[in-house]
Amino acid sequence: MELIKDIDRMRTYIERIEKGKIIGFVPTMGGFHEGHLSLIRKGREDSDVLVVSIFVNPTQFGPEEDFESYPRDLERDVKWCKQEGVDVVFAPSREEMYPDDYSTFVEVEGYLTSTLEGNSRPGHFRGITTILTKLFNIVSPDRSYFGEKDYQQHLVVRKLVRELNLNMEIVTLPTVREKDGLALSSRNSYLTREERKAATILYRSLLRAKENTLQGIRDAKAIISDIKDLIRGEPLARIDYVAIVDPATLKMIEKIEKEVVLLLAVKIGGHRLIDNLRIRPL
Ligand code: AMP
């Protein structure tokens, strides 16, 4: 396995790949857990050459967010990649990706990027679509792998690829969870033992909403208000949003008649966690 840290060397590596070989790509910010590994394993299965990038992207963090403290352990992540049979880890420097006078951004405009995460984290998706466009240009993948855990992100990335006519396929894989349902996230490492326990409120809320729907409740407002009450009962939790939306457009749903997605963002002791679940009425 190669660890490549500069853009020119990464490009040269890609240029030397025989024509017709399938290049798979898993973009990450590192701090690996089983969620990342599920993308890497699927990418390994599907591709001739598998590239994993590790880059904590400053442009997707707001000024008050955790860019500085975000978990970084390149050595450990590289070791995991080796074990999984990854061909190349691309870990560029911030200076090379964003030189001091950097001023070019790629933005998916409109509702999809301004609602929910976009509303709570202004500029977040602009940072993501900018870094991904840069990485896609460097790596030229045939397929890129994303997790459903970041539900809105995967829709935004699909729109980016479609509208910029990028010649690649986006593959989305299911959320990997702990035994108690907590979605794996690099940010879970911030949680104290108490907070970790409280964090199960996210998945418990999703399950409760599913249960309510399966029992015939169709009024999204009623389901949301029930969940909000449940979350408010957890002293360490503070709700950012709870929404029931159309899986493709993220438009708010009033009456649940077909598959919907329940999306939520909750702060647990100051650490912001997100999760989601697709729910189909019987
Ligand atoms: P990150 O390093 O957090 O930017 O995540 C890199 C990729 O891993 C993104 O496509 C995420 O959606 C995906 N991912 C993060 N957590 C999970 C999880 N628990 N299950 C599946 N995929 C995940």
Side-chain angles (χ1 to χ4, degrees):
M1 195 195 75
E2 288 204 42
L3 170 61
I4 297 182
K5 292 193 174 177
D6 67 80
I7 297 172
D8 275 349
R9 270 195 61 214
M10 189 63 234
R11 278 195 194 289
T12 308
Y13 183 98
I14 296 292
E15 275 163 21
R16 289 190 181 147
I17 295 170
E18 212 180 300
K19 205 166 177 265
K21 296 272 188 209
I22 299 294
I23 303 175
F25 179 43
V26 182
T28 81
M29 298 207 296
F32 283 176
H33 50 67
E34 289 287 332
H36 295 108
L37 290 195
S38 78
L39 306 185
I40 291 172
R41 286 180 186 143
K42 180 75 174 115
R44 182 65 288 169
E45 246 174 67
D46 292 355
S47 336
D48 298 307
V49 177
L50 180 62
V51 182
V52 173
S53 67
I54 299 177
F55 181 67
V56 184
N57 174 36
T59 61
Q60 71 189 68
F61 289 80
E64 305 299 316
E65 294 182 3
D66 56 344
F67 172 71
E68 294 300 337
S69 59
Y70 196 84
R72 291 166 173 85
D73 191 345
L74 185 62
E75 212 173 296
R76 171 179 167 275
D77 293 343
V78 165
K79 213 162 120 193
W80 282 31
C81 284
K82 262 189 202 146
Q83 280 167 10
E84 297 299 328
V86 170
D87 294 295
V88 188
V89 171
F90 179 47
S93 69
R94 177 181 181 165
E95 292 70 30
E96 207 186 0
M97 290 307 262
Y98 297 112
D100 278 346
D101 61 344
Y102 189 90
S103 63
T104 304
F105 292 88
V106 178
E107 188 160 11
V108 173
E109 293 185 348
Y111 178 75
L112 197 61
T113 51
S114 56
T115 187
L116 301 169
E117 287 301 287
N119 181 49
S120 297
R121 305 181 69 187
H124 174 62
F125 288 119
R126 178 180 186 253
I128 288 183
T129 44
T130 298
I131 191 65
L132 285 176
T133 305
K134 288 165 71 65
L135 290 168
F136 291 157
N137 280 331
I138 296 165
V139 176
S140 315
D142 296 291
R143 278 197 205 101
S144 292
Y145 296 83
F146 292 86
E148 203 170 46
K149 156 81 175 16
D150 298 285
Y151 191 89
Q152 188 172 2
Q153 170 178 292
H154 101 96
L155 290 184
V156 171
V157 174
R158 283 174 182 275
K159 196 164 198 280
L160 171 80
V161 166
R162 193 167 63 240
E163 294 186 351
L164 288 186
N165 313 102
L166 302 180
N167 191 14
M168 80 175 80
E169 188 191 336
I170 298 298
V171 180
T172 306
L173 295 173
T175 303
V176 179
R177 300 178 179 282
E178 301 275 10
K179 274 203 185 73
D180 63 7
L182 179 66
L184 294 180
S185 162
S186 309
R187 291 191 167 96
N188 293 351
S189 64
Y190 297 148
L191 304 174
T192 63
R193 254 179 54 184
E194 291 257 289
E195 290 165 349
R196 171 64 187 79
K197 235 163 101 189
T200 58
I201 193 68
L202 280 87
Y203 191 59
R204 285 190 280 130
S205 303
L206 296 175
L207 288 186
R208 167 109 140 226
K210 183 173 177 178
E211 184 76 358
N212 282 340
T213 313
L214 295 181
Q215 281 181 359
I217 302 177
R218 294 285 174 267
D219 178 10
K221 265 202 192 114
I223 291 178
I224 290 172
S225 120
D226 174 63
I227 291 181
K228 284 187 168 170
D229 287 344
L230 180 71
I231 300 174
R232 286 192 192 109
E234 170 50 67
L236 292 178
R238 223 179 59 234
I239 300 169
D240 180 351
Y241 61 75
V242 178
I244 294 179
V245 301
D246 178 281
T249 63
L250 300 187
K251 289 274 153 64
M252 303 298 158
I253 298 284
E254 282 179 22
K255 202 157 174 253
I256 304 175
E257 287 163 331
K258 56 182 183 66
E259 188 180 57
V260 295
V261 195
L262 172 61
L263 295 158
L264 42 83
V266 178
K267 274 194 169 172
I268 302 288
H271 309 295
R272 193 170 176 282
L273 303 179
I274 58 171
D275 203 348
N276 68 84
L277 192 69
R278 289 170 176 271
I279 299 175
R280 196 175 298 144
L282 285 177

